Amino acid sequence: MTQTQTEQPIAPRRSMWPLYAAGFTTAFGAHGIAATLGSDTDDAVTSLLVLGGLLALYDGAEVVLKPLFGTLADRVGARPVLLGGLIAFAAASLLYVIADSPGWLWAARLGQGAAASAFSPAASALVARLNPAAKHGRAFGSYGFYKSIGYTLGPLLGGVLVWAGGLSLLFAVMAACAAAVAVWAVLAVPVVPPLPKSRQTVADLARRLTERTFLAPTAALAAATAALSVGVGFLPVSGAAAGLGTVATGAAVSVLAATAAFVQPKAGRALDAERLTTRTGLGAGLLITATGLAAAMVPGLAGVLTAAALIGCGTGLITPLGFAALAATTPPERLGQTMGSAELGRELGDAGGPLLVAAVATTATLAYGYAALALLLAIPAFTTLTARRRTAPTPQ
């Protein structure tokens, strides 16, 4: 642990709540709109191609911009980037409300994605800066919990709002939510000045981002996000193929998200209490997630629900441990850059997992798609867990 880390102040608990709310906002913004764009509302989505483009805008902006905004947070401070991102998110959402035109939906969606690219890594960096290393597990577990709540409630709240007043009402609520969180952050989140840092070359950055201390947790986070996206997107397909109704398949997705939300704080507390190590937790999380994907191959309600519970448990275990591991091995003055780059890895997993499963399912069946991703996760899981046993001291 560096001297800077040991000297960082412990922020009051009230300072963390706006950061948790920011995590909820970015998740609500991603899933609340994505789950409702396909509805026949305001003639905004006229074809599957248009739907795919609108969905890609948000994630595409995050892939490109998160590392850049993470680096900016290190340079000028995470708090200004957090506030600027939240204000920009509110403005982009309000743009569609005022314009009320299908053409402006593209600009609004792109603006939301760019804004989320700013305040999401900034919030993660502040979670790390405002808590001592011994409490990073609990802090990231709580942050992940509220983000999971956003993923869980986003489609439900989005559907209700669109039903009540169309996409304009949904965007208006998102604008109000982001603006309220920004005001809350101004009042409660303390100023965390940027730390002095030595000059970093491109080679230095590349070297740091290719070290195992960065690659291992980031790869685990990407794998967890890939499995989560596959579960949310394809478990309803498996349920429908087994003759299950929309209520049953929707309940399965809710089980997945709720389980992930429930597990994350517990995993973080176990890490802080040293009842769980990062290596063991990440390995076990990958193995549980892979088992959940394998369970999805079993037809019927039992297979769908078992898969949802196991995928939720595994991803809930991986997420806080992965971010805590990154925070523990990153110089405090580079936290924004690291969190932004790790978020890029998660976005790639978010896109890559469904693409892999879909590609395999196209040439074979959906069960083989689940199997392919399960195998991809099981290999590093066994490698991680067996490596721990090999390096453990031999009893005398």
Side-chain angles (χ1 to χ4, degrees), residues 283 286-287 377-390:
L286 287 169
L287 189 58
L377 269 63
I379 292 174
F382 280 116
T383 301
T384 300
L385 294 173
T386 55
R388 180 181 181 275
R389 284 196 291 268
R390 285 198 302 268

Side-chain angles (χ1 to χ4, degrees), residues 46-74:
T46 56
S47 69
L48 289 177
L49 181 61
V50 171
L51 175 61
L54 286 169
L55 293 175
L57 270 180
Y58 192 97
D59 293 332
E62 290 190 309
V63 167
V64 174
L65 296 176
K66 274 186 174 179
L68 299 179
F69 280 118
T71 302
L72 180 65
D74 291 332

Side-chain angles (χ1 to χ4, degrees), residues 42 44 95-106 168:
D42 298 335
L95 175 66
Y96 180 71
V97 178
I98 296 174
D100 196 19
S101 168
W104 283 100
L105 180 59
W106 293 83
S168 294

Side-chain angles (χ1 to χ4, degrees), residues 136-137 140-141 144 148 215-228 259-268 271 276-291 293 310-326 342 346 376-378 380-381 384:
H136 277 170
F140 280 108
S148 294
L215 287 179
T218 301
L221 289 168
T225 308
L228 190 64
T259 304
F262 177 77
V263 169
Q264 288 191 59
K266 293 184 177 298
L271 178 68
L276 183 67
T277 65
T278 300
R279 181 189 291 271
T280 301
L282 292 180
L286 287 169
L287 189 58
I288 293 170
T289 305
T291 304
L293 290 166
L310 290 175
I311 293 172
C313 180
T315 56
L317 187 58
I318 291 169
T319 302
L321 301 187
F323 279 115
L326 289 169
R346 295 186 77 195
L376 200 61
L377 269 63
T384 300

Side-chain angles (χ1 to χ4, degrees), residues 114-137:
S117 303
F119 71 78
S120 182
S124 298
L126 283 167
V127 169
R129 286 287 305 275
L130 294 176
N131 289 275
K135 292 187 177 181
H136 277 170

